[in-house]
Amino acid sequence: MDSKHHLISEAYQRRKKGWDKFFKGLFWLAGFISAIFIILIIVFIVRKGIGPFLPSYPGGAYPIGKFLTGFQWRQDSAIYGVAFIVINTIISALGALLISFPISVLTALFITKIAPRSLSRIMTTIVELLAAIPSVVYGVFAAGVIVRWVDSLAAMAGFSTYGGNSLLAVSILLAIMVFPTMTSLAIVAINAVPRELVEGSLALGATTTQTNFRVVLTSAKSGIFAGLILGLGRAFGEATAVSMVAGNSMIGPTFNPFNITRTLTSTMLAGLKETQGLDYDIRFSVGIILMAVILVTNLGIHFVKDRIGRSMS
Amino acid sequence: MKTFEIKDLNLWYGDFHALKDIDMDIRNNKVSAFIGPSGCGKSTFLRVLNRMNDLIDGTKITGQVLFNGQEIYAPESDVVTLRTKVGMVFQKPNPFPMSVYDNVAYGLRVQGIKNKAVLNDTVEDSLKKAALWEEVKDRLSDNALQLSGGQQQRLCIARAIALSPEVILMDEPTSALDPIATGKIEELMESLKKDYTIAIVTLSMQQAARISDYTAFFLLGDLIEMGPTREVFHKPNDKRTEDYITGRFG
C-alpha cells in the first residue's frame, strides 16, 4: 500500500489540536459555571437560614432549640417550630411512595413485558405526557377532585374532614405526581436488562412471572431506585399543588390521614408577604431542613438498594 | 436409545423458512455436534429442543419433536417441565446478577424447593460436576459477575446441572472464551456425557471433531447429513459437507 503520509497537512493537524483545546476549555467552563451556581445558592440559603438564630439578628435571635424541636407554627404570634413539619413531610412523602412505587414498577413491567407492542407504545407516551403536566394543574385537580374522594372516604370511615384537605389528599396527589417519573425510569431500566438473562431464567424452567420478579426486577434495581429517588425528591419538593390540599395545620404532627397537615414546602410558600424580616428569613431555615431531610432519605434509599437482591443464602 | 426423535420438522420465522424437513435422532449419553456456516439454522434447531423459539413472535413449527417418545409441541405438553429436563447453556455466559450460590440454586427455587439442606447439597454437587467447586467454594456469596468469563460459563453449566436434566443444550458455549477456558469446558463435556445427553452448536470444526460422537451438518436450513463424527469428517456422504469441512466454503 502507498503511504498516505504526504497527504496529511501540518496546518490541519495544528488546527485540530487547537479545536481540541478550545472544546476542553469550554467543557471546563460549563462545569465551572454550574458548580458556581450550586455553591452560590447553597451559600445564600445557608446564610439566610442561619441568620435568625444568630445574636446579631435584628430584633433578637430566635432560639434554635425552639425552632428544631417545636410542635407549633404560628405566623401570627411568631412561633416557629419545625419538628412536626419534618415528621408530616416524611409521612406524606412516604405515603405517596407507598401508593405509587408498586404501581409504577408493575406498570413498567406491564408496558415492557406484557402489553402488546401497540398498547405499550401508547402507554409510554401517556406516561411521558403525565410527567410534563405542570404541578399547578395537578393542584387544581386535587383541590377539586381528590379532596372530594377523601371527604367521602372519611365519611364512610366515620371521620369528618376540613373539606377533604388532609394528609391523605396530599399523599394521593403526590403519588399521582411522582408516578410518571418513577414509571419512566423503571421502563428504561427494565428495557436495559439483557435478553440473555431472561432467556437464562426461562431455560431453567422459570415462568415468565418468576423471571420478571426474580431476574428482571433485581437486574433493573439500580434504575428503578434512581426513579424512586427522583420521585421522592419531587414528593419532598412539591409546594404549589401540596399547599392547595394540605390545609396547613398549625400544630402537629399529623398521623390521622383525614386530618389537615403541613409540609416543609407548603410552609415555605404559605402566607408569604414581605421579603424581609423573621417571617421571610425563617423560610430559608426551613429550606435547610428540607435539604437535610432529602439528603438523609436518599442515603437511606441507597442503603436499602444495596441490601435488596443480595445473597439470600 | 434415542432421547430426541425429530421428524419432518419445519420452522418459519414469519415468511423466512429457517428449517426445512429435518429428520434427526439424538442418542442418549452421547455428544451430538451441530455444525454449519452462520445462519444455517443450527442454533434455531437447538432451540427447538427446549422450545426457546416460543419466545420469538411469528415463529411457526410443523412436524414432530419427540422427547422420550412424547411430543413436546403437543398442546398438553408443559414447557416449564420440559425445560427442567432439557437444560441450556448459552453463547455468552449469562449468570444472574446475584451470588454464585443463588445462581446455582435458582433452578431449584423456581420449582419451589426451599429445603436448605437439599439446596446446599445440590449447589455443592453441581459446582463439583461443573469443575468449579474448588475455585469458588470460599466465595459462594460473592456476586457471580466477579468471576472470570470461563468460570461464569462453568457456573452456567452448574446452574443447568442443578436441576438434574437429561439433556444439556449448548449454543456455542466457548465462542466467548479464551483457549484455556475453552479447553476446560471441553474436558468437562467429556465427563458430563456419562450422565447427560449433550447437544452442542459450534462454529469450530476442530471442536466438533474433538468432543462429539455424532455430527450434523446444516446448510441454509437443510440438514445435509448426520452420522458418527469420524465418518462425517473422514468420508462424508455429501459433497457439500466435504467442501465445508475441508474449508472450501464457509
Side-chain angles (χ1 to χ4, degrees):
Chain A
M1 231 186 1
D2 263 351
S3 169
K4 299 282 189 297
H5 215 264
H6 62 282
L7 294 175
I8 297 172
S9 110
E10 287 273 327
Y12 182 79
Q13 292 302 312
R14 268 199 309 275
R15 238 178 15 246
K16 191 168 88 175
K17 282 173 191 152
W19 278 113
D20 190 47
K21 278 214 182 90
F22 171 75
F23 271 100
K24 264 186 201 154
L26 198 66
F27 295 140
W28 271 94
L29 187 68
F32 184 69
I33 290 174
S34 49
I36 288 279
F37 269 115
I38 294 168
I39 291 168
L40 272 181
I41 291 169
I42 291 176
V43 166
F44 181 74
I45 293 173
V46 169
R47 268 189 51 197
K48 275 286 212 183
I50 288 180
F53 310 115
L54 300 178
S56 59
Y57 192 74
Y62 190 84
I64 190 162
K66 244 175 100 182
F67 173 72
L68 290 176
T69 59
F71 284 82
Q72 271 191 63
W73 187 278
R74 290 177 184 279
Q75 253 176 304
D76 45 354
S77 23
I79 299 172
Y80 303 106
V82 86
F84 80 100
I85 310 179
V86 171
I87 298 170
N88 285 354
T89 303
I90 293 172
I91 291 176
S92 62
L94 290 185
L97 290 185
L98 214 61
I99 302 169
S100 197
F101 185 63
I103 298 178
S104 300
V105 172
L106 293 179
T107 307
L109 263 183
F110 175 74
I111 289 176
T112 50
K113 297 286 172 192
I114 295 158
R117 202 161 297 164
S118 52
L119 181 62
S120 94
R121 211 169 293 145
I122 295 169
M123 286 191 66
T124 310
T125 313
I126 293 175
V127 169
E128 281 161 7
L129 279 178
L130 285 177
I133 295 177
S135 55
V136 68
V137 176
Y138 281 109
V140 173
F141 170 76
V145 181
I146 294 177
V147 290
R148 284 205 204 119
W149 299 344
V150 173
D151 196 44
S152 5
L153 191 69
M156 276 193 288
F159 288 97
S160 65
T161 67
Y162 299 87
N165 287 345
S166 59
L167 167 61
L168 183 60
V170 171
S171 285
I172 294 174
L173 164 71
L174 288 175
I176 296 173
M177 292 183 76
V178 301
F179 168 80
T181 316
M182 293 203 292
T183 310
S184 293
L185 269 96
I187 289 174
V188 172
I190 289 170
N191 277 332
V193 174
R195 189 188 160 79
E196 290 85 30
L197 291 184
V198 174
E199 290 192 340
S201 168
L202 293 173
L204 288 165
T207 61
T208 309
T209 304
Q210 284 176 322
T211 303
N212 282 343
F213 282 105
R214 287 169 186 247
V215 170
V216 174
L217 287 188
T218 50
S219 307
K221 70 171 176 166
S222 279
I224 291 173
F225 274 89
L228 185 64
I229 286 176
L230 278 182
L232 196 64
R234 186 161 195 198
F236 277 139
E238 179 46 46
T240 321
V242 168
S243 303
M244 294 164 87
V245 295
N248 290 325
S249 60
M250 288 187 279
I251 50 167
T254 308
F255 295 111
N256 181 342
F258 298 117
N259 242 330
I260 53 171
T261 185
R262 169 188 282 269
T263 67
L264 291 166
T265 48
S266 68
T267 303
M268 291 173 75
L269 186 67
L272 180 60
K273 290 180 209 95
E274 288 177 50
T275 52
Q276 53 188 345
L278 179 61
D279 187 68
Y280 174 67
D281 292 342
I282 201 119
R283 291 163 198 263
F284 285 96
S285 321
V286 177
I288 297 175
I289 302 287
L290 178 59
M291 291 196 292
V293 168
I294 291 178
L295 196 68
V296 170
T297 8
N298 283 3
L299 291 176
I301 290 179
H302 274 295
F303 180 73
V304 172
K305 185 187 85 180
D306 286 345
R307 315 217 96 203
I308 285 186
R310 245 204 227 160
S311 171
M312 292 181 273
S313 50
Chain B
M1 278 277 289
K2 298 163 186 170
T3 302
F4 276 104
E5 290 170 81
I6 294 104
K7 286 181 195 131
D8 296 328
L9 175 79
N10 280 280
L11 184 146
W12 290 265
Y13 291 134
D15 293 332
F16 177 64
H17 198 175
L19 292 172
K20 301 167 188 165
D21 300 322
I22 309 283
D23 288 298
M24 189 193 286
D25 293 336
I26 295 175
R27 288 173 182 76
N28 66 322
N29 295 71
K30 300 286 180 200
V31 176
S32 302
F34 305 155
I35 61 169
S38 297
C40 67
K42 55 194 188 306
S43 285
T44 301
F45 179 73
L46 192 76
R47 286 163 168 257
V48 164
L49 303 177
N50 67 343
R51 288 183 57 176
M52 284 308 268
N53 290 319
D54 288 13
L55 303 175
I56 300 165
D57 288 340
T59 307
K60 198 182 120 202
I61 293 179
T62 62
Q64 250 189 352
V65 183
L66 302 181
F67 171 58
N68 292 332
Q70 301 285 314
E71 171 58 57
I72 63 170
Y73 284 92
E76 68 275 11
S77 163
D78 178 31
V79 65
V80 167
T81 315
L82 172 74
R83 287 175 185 157
T84 61
K85 292 180 183 159
V86 182
M88 189 168 206
V89 176
F90 295 80
Q91 193 170 346
K92 234 178 77 193
N94 59 348
F96 303 130
M98 41 180 96
S99 72
V100 171
Y101 183 100
D102 289 338
N103 263 280
V104 184
Y106 185 88
L108 294 177
R109 284 188 173 136
V110 295
Q111 310 311 327
I113 296 165
K114 295 197 186 94
N115 186 316
K116 203 103 208 150
V118 173
L119 290 176
N120 288 343
D121 287 350
T122 312
V123 168
E124 181 173 342
D125 187 51
S126 310
L127 286 169
K128 278 180 177 160
K129 280 187 181 155
L132 189 60
W133 175 252
E134 287 305 320
E135 291 161 60
V136 300
K137 63 181 178 191
D138 300 321
R139 40 197 298 212
L140 291 176
S141 55
D142 283 10
N143 194 305
L145 300 174
Q146 289 166 10
L147 302 179
S148 73
Q151 289 174 327
Q152 289 187 8
Q153 194 62 309
R154 276 178 283 149
L155 178 67
C156 292
I157 293 173
R159 195 170 69 178
I161 291 175
L163 280 166
S164 322
E166 290 172 44
V167 184
I168 303 175
L169 309 175
M170 297 188 173
D171 189 0
E172 299 182 35
T174 59
S175 63
L177 304 182
D178 65 59
I180 295 170
T182 300
K184 283 191 180 164
I185 303 266
E186 288 185 5
E187 257 173 60
L188 180 57
M189 279 188 246
E190 191 57 37
S191 73
L192 289 176
K193 156 169 123 170
K194 289 195 297 290
D195 300 314
Y196 310 95
T197 303
I198 296 176
I200 176 175
V201 165
T202 178
L203 276 170
S204 152
M205 279 175 284
Q206 290 84 347
Q207 184 169 60
R210 274 197 302 268
I211 58 167
S212 70
D213 303 298
Y214 292 91
T215 296
F217 173 58
F218 287 82
L219 187 62
L220 301 171
D222 286 308
L223 173 60
I224 305 299
E225 68 175 290
M226 183 178 193
T229 298
R230 183 157 267 283
E231 282 177 29
V232 172
F233 276 87
H234 288 279
K235 40 176 184 142
N237 289 323
D238 197 289
K239 179 82 171 53
R240 289 168 291 179
T241 315
E242 192 183 339
D243 286 350
Y244 182 70
I245 286 169
T246 53
R248 241 162 272 166
F249 76 89

